[in-house]
Amino acid sequence: FDPVDEKVYWGTMDGNSVNRSDIDGSNREVLLEDLSAAYSLHLDRQHNKLYFVQTHATEVGFAIASVNIDGSEHEVHCSLPIGEIASLAVDTAGEKFYYTVDGENQVVRMNFDCTEDEIVSTVNGSYAIRIDVGRDKLFVGTEHGQIISSDLDGSNAATLVNKSDVMILNMALDKDDQYLYYVQNDPNKGFDSIYRTDYVGLEDVEIYSSLANNLFALTLDTEFMPPMADLSVTASNEVDGTTVLPAGWNWTLTVENNGFDAEFAANDV
């Protein structure tokens, strides 16, 4: 999600493109085509780039790639002839990639040029990951219902969420208020739910339930404000200069709305 241009970006797991549209779904654009899959998108608004995991019909394995938000300069950063990359997180300031591989029980970190790869976490069932670079935090959601918090190098690990018989499919961070939202898949119920916990695991609140099964993407608009009117009121009268106000003096109030359309009752203004 891009709050600056109010655009939504998405890739396809079984299609062949990277796309964007307005937040209401209109003005859809195809930024990149001819891929087998594109997923786990990360928007770098400072540099106008979109990072993602891709597979290609004519190539073996998975790759970490990027494209400009206007669809130009598609670049493959790292080709990884390994198992399926489950999740990708990007530290654009430090120029680091973090990723998990389905079934590998680990989080790998490496440079943008694919050098110095290192295992920073060995959580069993590692699947979804998110990072908060400003607070030196790595969050790992597992296939077994746990969310583990640690420093970016994997030290000081702590369990935030510990459930059974569910899977953490995806996560999103509210970095300002230090909340973590996550998609929980419960195969016994046949649907997904969105939960919220804080950075230290003191709360675990269900936000939405009975959502579509296998909801693989989640993003937040933490700065959303509902459409509002923007009213200015000007007081005026017919006197030019100064005067002594008699009893019953009348003012004319002119109300102008410079915001969204709104309706008001007689006593609202």
Side-chain angles (χ1 to χ4, degrees):
F1 170 70
D2 178 3
V4 177
D5 290 337
E6 295 189 336
K7 294 284 187 179
V8 176
Y9 293 81
W10 74 95
T12 53
M13 292 288 289
D14 55 358
N16 64 351
S17 62
V18 176
N19 313 268
R20 74 175 177 181
S21 73
D22 294 343
I23 58 176
D24 62 0
S26 62
N27 298 318
R28 177 178 174 178
E29 302 172 78
V30 177
L31 302 180
L32 195 61
E33 294 183 288
D34 300 325
L35 303 173
S36 291
Y39 60 95
S40 201
L41 277 63
H42 173 89
L43 178 65
D44 175 10
R45 196 60 179 83
Q46 181 178 358
H47 301 98
N48 293 326
K49 281 197 174 289
L50 192 68
Y51 294 88
F52 55 95
V53 178
Q54 73 170 45
T55 62
H56 201 283
T58 60
E59 298 175 5
V60 177
F62 291 73
I64 299 173
S66 68
V67 67
N68 291 339
I69 60 173
D70 63 2
S72 64
E73 297 186 21
H74 176 214
E75 178 182 0
V76 175
H77 295 267
C78 301
S79 294
L80 306 171
I82 55 177
E84 178 181 350
I85 297 177
S87 185
L88 173 70
V90 183
D91 173 6
T92 54
E95 297 189 346
K96 297 280 188 181
F97 293 125
Y98 294 73
Y99 67 89
T100 58
V101 177
D102 195 16
E104 291 293 324
N105 302 324
Q106 61 190 27
V107 178
V108 178
R109 177 173 65 183
M110 64 182 175
N111 296 330
F112 271 14
D113 61 3
C114 306
T115 61
E116 299 183 12
D117 59 311
E118 57 179 330
I119 297 172
V120 296
S121 173
T122 55
V123 176
N124 186 38
S126 297
Y127 192 80
I129 54 173
R130 284 292 180 267
I131 59 174
D132 184 342
V133 176
R135 292 185 170 84
D136 189 31
K137 287 293 185 182
L138 167 67
F139 300 95
V140 182
T142 77
E143 297 174 319
H144 312 302
Q146 291 82 40
I147 297 178
I148 309 299
S149 167
S150 71
D151 296 343
L152 289 174
D153 63 2
S155 61
N156 299 314
T159 301
L160 303 185
V161 174
N162 189 10
K163 301 179 180 181
S164 59
D165 299 324
V166 299
M167 178 179 181
I168 309 301
L169 285 178
N170 211 315
M171 300 184 293
L173 300 180
D174 177 355
K175 297 177 182 179
D176 291 335
D177 294 326
Q178 299 184 56
Y179 283 115
L180 183 150
Y181 293 78
Y182 63 94
V183 178
Q184 172 183 299
N185 175 259
D186 188 338
N188 295 320
K189 295 180 179 178
F191 60 80
D192 296 344
S193 301
I194 296 177
Y195 282 78
R196 183 188 70 198
T197 186
D198 56 71
Y199 273 24
V200 293
L202 293 179
E203 67 172 54
D204 189 41
V205 180
E206 185 178 54
I207 305 298
Y208 295 105
S209 65
S210 302
L211 299 172
N213 200 23
N214 293 325
L215 185 63
F216 283 103
L218 177 65
T219 190
L220 299 176
D221 179 5
T222 57
E223 298 180 358
F224 172 75
M225 290 291 291
M228 299 177 66
D230 182 10
L231 302 182
S232 60
V233 180
T234 303
S236 62
N237 57 63
E238 297 179 354
V239 175
D240 184 12
T242 60
T243 187
V244 177
L245 297 180
W249 182 268
N250 292 320
W251 289 88
T252 299
L253 300 180
T254 304
V255 181
E256 182 179 4
N257 180 14
N258 298 307
F260 288 85
D261 292 341
E263 294 183 1
F264 298 91
N267 297 324
D268 287 344
V269 178

